[in-house]
Amino acid sequence: CCKNCDYKVESSSKHVIVDGVCTGCGAKTVSTVEELKNIALDGKYILVNDLSLKNLDWTPIGTDKKPFSGYFDGNGYTISDLTIKPQYNYFGLFGYSSGVIQNLGVKTASISGLVTLNGAIYVGGLVGYSSGSVTNCYASEVNIDLCHSNASIASGFVGGLVGYSSGKVLNSYSS
């Protein structure tokens, strides 16, 4: 299974799922967009198929006040067609993460519009701000096009995969 992963699943391991839960690590499965939208910030999750967020304005998972602090294993699958409008300071599939994100791809992401918020902004296809870990992940075809008006942007951190990381980014890339 996942060798009692406890947040340390290796990319080559396979989860054994029974009734929507991994028998080795207790992570819950995510198989629909609705389940992805409703994950608990401190939960353990495994993606079990590719998902498309087409025609959905995505609300990033986690903020600076309530970061994602859990465990998310993409299990080698891809989340595509991500669209985020600039109504946050933390942009990405995950806005702010202090948790573990691994084995996940983000493909065809669009983060664009007019920024009207004050303060720093953190923009990445997968994670805007990470103080946790990102391992074996990638982001491809990420389009970031932000402009500002009537906003006092203290600083901006932008990356195709992760906007800013004070944690670990391992074996991951953006193209």
Side-chain angles (χ1 to χ4, degrees):
C1 174
C2 45
K3 302 174 187 167
N4 271 334
C5 68
D6 196 26
Y7 298 96
K8 296 178 185 172
V9 175
E10 296 177 19
S11 63
S12 62
S13 67
K14 299 292 181 192
H15 294 276
V16 175
I17 308 298
V18 177
D19 295 328
V21 177
C22 176
T23 59
C25 66
K28 295 178 183 177
T29 60
V30 173
S31 62
T32 68
V33 171
E34 199 60 34
E35 288 173 342
L36 181 64
K37 286 169 50 177
N38 291 307
I39 67 172
L41 295 175
D42 61 352
K44 293 168 87 173
Y45 297 94
I46 306 164
L47 189 62
V48 294
N49 51 263
D50 293 332
L51 292 178
S52 171
L53 304 179
K54 193 169 188 133
N55 300 321
L56 176 70
D57 283 335
W58 183 252
T59 299
I61 299 167
T63 67
D64 58 333
K65 302 216 182 326
K66 293 183 180 180
F68 175 75
S69 60
Y71 162 86
F72 193 94
D73 186 347
N75 208 19
Y77 291 105
T78 301
I79 295 175
S80 62
D81 307 311
L82 174 67
T83 301
I84 302 173
K85 302 294 182 200
Q87 51 192 333
Y88 314 97
N89 288 80
Y90 302 91
F91 302 84
L93 178 66
F94 292 85
Y96 194 113
S97 174
S98 62
V100 174
I101 301 168
Q102 61 187 26
N103 308 320
L104 179 61
V106 171
K107 185 175 180 187
T108 315
S110 175
I111 304 169
S112 63
L114 181 66
V115 176
T116 58
L117 299 169
N118 293 323
I121 60 170
Y122 303 86
V123 185
L126 179 64
V127 186
Y129 183 102
S130 176
S131 61
S133 68
V134 173
T135 306
N136 298 326
C137 293
Y138 72 90
S140 65
E141 301 175 44
V142 177
N143 177 39
I144 300 170
D145 184 16
L146 300 172
C147 48
H148 64 88
S149 173
N150 299 326
S152 176
I153 298 174
S155 56
F157 301 91
V158 179
L161 181 71
V162 178
Y164 179 86
S165 177
S166 63
K168 295 179 182 176
V169 178
L170 304 168
N171 197 33
S172 299
Y173 67 92
S174 175
S175 63

